[in-house]
Amino acid sequence: MGDAVRWAAFACLLAPVALVAYGMSAGGTAAAWAGLAAVACACRLLLHHSRGGAGAGRSRDGAGAGRIPD
């Protein structure tokens, strides 16, 4: 997941620079950056959730992965 986060950060920095270089206003560039950052954060959360997140190895009832229920 680390590579995905680094590429997202790179894109969030590069896109506004390119927009300014091609003549977009500062307000439009800031809005584009905010949108890209929001999408990148949402994707990171979804990746984290799909890979198990902080609760990996636990079932819905809170039992450990190798535990036999009573």
Side-chain angles (χ1 to χ4, degrees):
M1 185 165 64
D3 287 340
V5 172
R6 281 189 287 250
W7 278 107
F10 175 71
C12 285
L13 293 174
L14 183 64
V17 170
L19 291 172
V20 168
Y22 284 100
M24 190 169 195
S25 68
T29 301
W33 175 82
L36 284 170
V39 169
C41 288
C43 289
R44 183 177 186 273
L45 287 173
L46 288 171
L47 272 171
H48 181 70
H49 180 72
S50 71
R51 293 189 179 186
R58 295 196 169 263
S59 63
R60 287 194 178 268
D61 65 355
R67 186 171 171 214
I68 300 172
D70 297 343

